[in-house]
Amino acid sequence: MTTLYIYYKNVLRTLISGCLLCSGMAYGQNSSDEVLNLIEQNNTQIIAAQKTLSATIMDNKTGLNLKNPEVEFEHKWNTRNPGEKGKEVSVTQELEWSVISGQKKQLARTKNELAEISFRQTRNAILLEAQKKLIEISFCNRMIQELNTQLTDADSLVSIYETLLRNGSGNVLDVNRSKLNHAAIATEIRNTNAQKEVLLQDLYGLNGGNTVSLSPEWSLSPLALPENFDSWFQQMEASVPELNYYQKDLELKKKSVRATKSEMIPSLSVGYTGEFTETERMQGFAIGMSIPLWENKNKVKKSKLDVEAAQSTVSDARQRVYNNLKAQYVQSVELKKSLQMQQEALDNLNTIPLMKEALLKGEINLMDYLNEMARYYDFRKNLLQTEKDYQTALADLHAFEL
C-alpha cells in the first residue's frame, strides 16, 4: 500500500497542477477579430446585402435630373387648296423645382444613408451570430480541457484499483465502478467534441463555406463590462444602428415635406416653337405652366403626419433600445457577480488532494469519493457555464459595436 501511496502522490501532483492551470487559466491572445473579419468578407448574406445596397444607391441616383425635352413636329396641308402646306416645330423643356433647387439630390443622399444603415444592421446581426458561435466553441474547448483533467483522474483510479485487485487487497466492484466512471467521462468528452464540430460547421457556413482555423486550446478573450451604464449609453447612443436608422428616417420625412411643398409650386415649361409655310416663317418661344389644383391634394398634410409618426418612432425606439441594453447590462452585472463568487469559492476549496488522501487512507470508500468528486466537478462545469453566459450577455450588450 505504501508503494501505491507514493505512486499516487506523483499522479496527484500532476492532477493538481493541471487543475490549477485550468481553473486559473487566463484567456490568451485569440484570433476572434480575424475570424469576424474573414466572415465579413466571405459571408454570402453580407455579400448579397452589399450588392443590394449598391443597387439601391444606384436606383436612388436615377430621376435626379430634369425630364427629357419634348420635341414635336407637325406637317399640315390645306384640303381645299392642296398646294398650300405648312410645318410646325416645337422643343420644350419642363422645369421641376425639386430638381432645380437640389431637393431631389438631398432626398437621394438621405435614402442612400438609410440604406447603408440597414446594411450595417444586417452585417452586425450576422457578425453577432458568428461571435456567439465563437463563444460556444471557446466553452467547448474549455469544457474538454476540464473533462480531460477528470479523465486523467479516472485513469489513475482504474490503475490503482486494478493493482489492488491483483494484489488481493481490492474487489471487482470497485474496479467496475472506476471503469464506469472512466467510461462516463470519456463519453462526455466525445459528446462535447461532437457539439463543437456542429458549431464549427455552423461557423464555416457563416464564413461562406470556408474553414476557420482554430486550435484545440483556442479560447475567446472576455469583453469589457462598462462601469456606469448611463454614461456608457450616452457615449455609444450615436453608434447604435437601430437608433441611427430611425433618426435618418425622420430626417428623410422632413426633407420629403419640403419636396412635397415644392410640388405645389406651378411647374414651368419653356421652349422654342416655329411655324413655316410657303409664304411665311414665324418663330418664337413658348412658356407653359402646370397648375397643381387637384393632383397633389393632401400630399403636404400626409407628409407632415409622416414626420409626426417618425418623431414618435424615434422616441419609442430610443426608450426601447435603452431598456433592452439596460436589461442586458443588469444581466451582465449579475452574471459577473455570480462568476466572481463561484471563482472565489473554487479558489478556497482543496477538494482534490483531501479526497484523494482520504480515499487512499481508507477513510472513505470509492462510492463516497466518486459522489463528492462529481459534485466538485459539477461545480467547476457550472463555473464554465456561467463564464459562457456572461460572455454571451456581453456580446449582446456590445453587438452594435461590431
Side-chain angles (χ1 to χ4, degrees):
M1 189 71 180
T2 304
T3 304
L4 287 173
Y5 184 73
I6 295 173
Y7 160 77
Y8 193 76
K9 281 180 67 179
N10 294 329
V11 175
L12 183 60
R13 188 179 296 111
T14 304
L15 284 172
I16 294 173
S17 299
C19 289
L20 290 176
L21 178 64
C22 184
S23 62
M25 177 174 27
Y27 288 106
Q29 294 296 323
N30 66 87
S31 59
S32 60
D33 290 339
E34 296 174 2
V35 173
L36 293 180
N37 287 336
L38 280 175
I39 290 173
E40 184 174 4
Q41 295 171 15
N42 299 327
N43 182 268
T44 53
Q45 190 174 348
I46 291 179
I47 293 173
Q50 286 174 330
K51 292 180 179 179
T52 300
L53 173 62
S54 298
T56 301
I57 290 175
M58 188 57 64
D59 182 59
N60 290 335
K61 288 182 178 179
T62 61
L64 302 183
N65 300 316
L66 292 173
K67 292 182 180 180
N68 295 325
E70 185 176 341
V71 178
E72 291 186 6
F73 174 79
E74 297 181 14
H75 181 75
K76 304 177 180 179
W77 57 90
N78 191 330
T79 55
R80 295 182 179 179
N81 184 4
E84 186 179 344
K85 298 180 180 179
K87 299 176 183 177
E88 287 188 15
V89 177
S90 65
V91 180
T92 57
Q93 174 68 60
E94 183 179 350
L95 303 178
E96 295 180 72
W97 294 116
S98 59
V99 175
I100 296 173
S101 63
Q103 290 178 348
K104 275 197 171 182
K105 287 187 177 180
Q106 292 177 11
L107 283 174
R109 281 195 292 269
T110 306
K111 288 178 180 179
N112 289 340
E113 291 170 359
L114 202 60
E116 288 170 0
I117 295 171
S118 181
F119 165 75
R120 195 160 73 247
Q121 287 178 304
T122 300
R123 169 193 170 276
N124 283 15
I126 294 169
L127 293 183
L128 177 61
E129 182 183 357
Q131 189 174 45
K132 289 184 177 181
K133 296 294 181 186
L134 290 174
I135 292 172
E136 292 278 356
I137 291 170
S138 176
F139 168 75
C140 287
N141 284 341
R142 300 201 68 195
M143 182 63 74
I144 290 169
Q145 292 172 0
E146 174 67 29
L147 291 170
N148 282 331
T149 301
Q150 296 181 35
L151 190 64
T152 303
D153 180 28
D155 282 334
S156 65
L157 285 178
V158 172
S159 178
I160 288 173
Y161 280 100
E162 285 182 340
T163 302
L164 291 175
L165 182 62
R166 286 195 299 269
N167 293 341
S169 56
N171 61 75
V172 176
L173 289 177
D174 284 341
V175 172
N176 289 342
R177 290 191 187 101
S178 64
K179 287 183 176 180
L180 285 174
N181 178 57
H182 182 279
I185 297 171
T187 300
E188 192 170 357
I189 290 175
R190 283 194 295 272
N191 292 341
T192 306
N193 272 314
Q195 179 185 357
K196 175 185 170 182
E197 184 59 32
V198 171
L199 291 167
L200 283 171
Q201 292 300 322
D202 291 341
L203 195 65
Y204 299 162
L206 290 172
N207 195 35
N210 303 309
T211 59
V212 177
S213 178
L214 296 174
S215 67
E217 296 80 20
W218 184 86
S219 60
L220 191 69
S221 295
L223 297 168
L225 179 66
E227 293 184 3
N228 181 277
F229 174 78
D230 288 324
S231 299
W232 172 79
F233 182 77
Q234 288 178 0
Q235 293 175 359
M236 306 306 297
E237 182 179 358
S239 303
V240 180
E242 184 177 357
L243 295 182
N244 291 342
Y245 183 89
Y246 289 119
Q247 287 284 1
K248 190 60 63 176
D249 184 60
L250 173 60
E251 181 183 336
L252 179 64
K253 295 293 194 301
K254 289 180 177 180
K255 290 181 179 179
S256 295
V257 171
R258 291 194 291 271
T260 303
K261 286 181 178 179
S262 71
E263 292 178 2
M264 304 303 294
I265 301 174
S267 63
L268 297 177
S269 62
V270 295
Y272 162 84
T273 181
E275 183 177 350
F276 308 99
T277 65
E278 293 180 352
T279 58
E280 296 179 332
R281 295 173 62 88
M282 290 181 290
Q283 304 177 75
F285 60 87
I287 297 178
M289 177 181 295
S290 175
I291 302 175
L293 294 179
W294 306 288
E295 183 180 359
N296 297 324
K297 185 179 181 180
N298 294 326
K299 274 191 174 182
V300 174
K301 291 181 181 179
K302 194 264 183 186
S303 297
K304 289 181 178 180
L305 291 174
D306 285 340
V307 170
E308 293 178 8
Q311 289 172 334
S312 298
T313 301
V314 168
S315 300
D316 172 72
R318 187 185 186 281
Q319 189 61 49
R320 179 162 40 81
V321 169
Y322 177 88
N323 291 339
N324 290 340
L325 290 176
K326 185 64 177 289
Q328 291 167 358
Y329 177 79
V330 171
Q331 181 188 23
S332 300
V333 169
E334 293 305 315
L335 284 169
K336 183 178 181 180
K337 290 178 181 178
S338 177
L339 183 61
Q340 291 173 338
M341 180 185 67
Q342 289 176 278
Q343 188 66 62
E344 290 172 1
L346 188 61
D347 292 341
N348 294 329
L349 292 176
N350 196 27
T351 300
I352 293 178
L354 292 177
M355 293 300 297
K356 285 295 184 184
E357 186 175 355
L359 177 65
L360 292 175
K361 290 181 177 180
E363 297 175 357
I364 58 174
N365 59 35
L366 181 59
M367 283 299 298
D368 291 336
Y369 171 81
L370 293 177
N371 288 333
E372 287 299 322
M373 291 306 294
R375 278 194 287 269
Y376 172 74
Y377 285 129
D378 283 344
F379 187 86
R380 291 175 63 84
K381 291 176 187 176
N382 287 336
L383 174 63
L384 294 179
Q385 180 66 46
T386 303
E387 284 182 344
K388 187 194 78 168
D389 294 341
Y390 177 55
Q391 289 302 314
T392 302
L394 286 178
D396 286 328
L397 185 65
H398 292 281
F400 61 89
E401 298 178 47
L402 290 170

